[in-house]
Amino acid sequence: MGYEYDDQNIFAKILRGEIPNETRLETEHTLAFNDIDPKAPVHVLIIPKGPYVCYDHFASLATEAEIVDFTRSVADVCRMTGVAPGSGGEGYRAIANAGDHGVQEVPHYHLHIMGGRGMGPMISRQG
Ligand code: AMP
């Protein structure tokens, strides 16, 4: 059990500078960039620079410095993209997919920040 990090995943390649990205914010421990296939006018992915597979992996093992840096970066991205309600924005949805049931495609923890339009119902009731 536990998590094994695959350093060939696409976000690891972005972090190593092997493939390009549209950076929105970079800090010591965090990178935020535009999603390559945006599902909303604002669609930014926020990732820790450390090798964490998904949210609970990050939440379990990241240092306090990494967690604080990541969390403050989320606030900065929400403000800078204009979606933060506290800064005059109309809101956003934050999503972290994990594993098979969460339909996670890229096995490097990332938080989706999506907004710029109404995001609709949270999830459909099915199966
Ligand atoms: P998830 O299903 O939560 O793992 O979502 C992965 C997200 O990564 C999708 O929204 C993709 O559009 C996005 N994505 C995949 N490759 C890239 C890339 N090279 N640059 C930016 N976003 C990407």
Side-chain angles (χ1 to χ4, degrees):
M1 296 305 286
Y3 289 110
E4 264 185 47
Y5 182 78
D6 170 14
D7 68 4
Q8 292 308 307
N9 78 75
I10 199 144
F11 295 168
K13 292 179 181 179
I14 285 177
L15 286 167
R16 289 194 294 269
E18 294 168 10
I19 59 172
N21 73 95
E22 288 180 17
T23 298
R24 303 300 299 260
L25 173 147
E26 182 167 11
T27 67
E28 183 180 0
H29 297 296
T30 307
L31 182 69
F33 51 91
N34 289 331
D35 195 291
I36 203 167
D37 181 19
K39 281 74 175 181
V42 172
H43 190 168
V44 177
L45 303 176
I46 306 171
I47 70 173
K49 292 183 175 177
Y52 303 106
V53 174
C54 60
Y55 190 13
D56 64 275
H57 190 209
F58 177 73
S60 298
L61 296 185
T63 65
E64 290 187 12
E66 288 175 309
I67 291 170
V68 169
D69 186 280
F70 185 89
T71 305
R72 298 286 192 226
S73 295
V74 173
D76 289 344
V77 166
C78 290
R79 269 196 306 271
M80 77 171 58
T81 56
V83 298
S87 304
E90 294 187 84
Y92 60 90
R93 181 160 295 151
I95 294 179
N97 297 318
D100 292 340
H101 281 189
V103 195
Q104 180 178 8
E105 292 169 19
V106 180
H108 181 113
Y109 171 47
H110 50 283
L111 188 69
H112 297 254
I113 298 292
M114 292 178 287
R117 66 165 170 84
M119 297 307 300
M122 186 171 71
I123 196 166
S124 59
R125 202 183 291 270
Q126 60 183 8

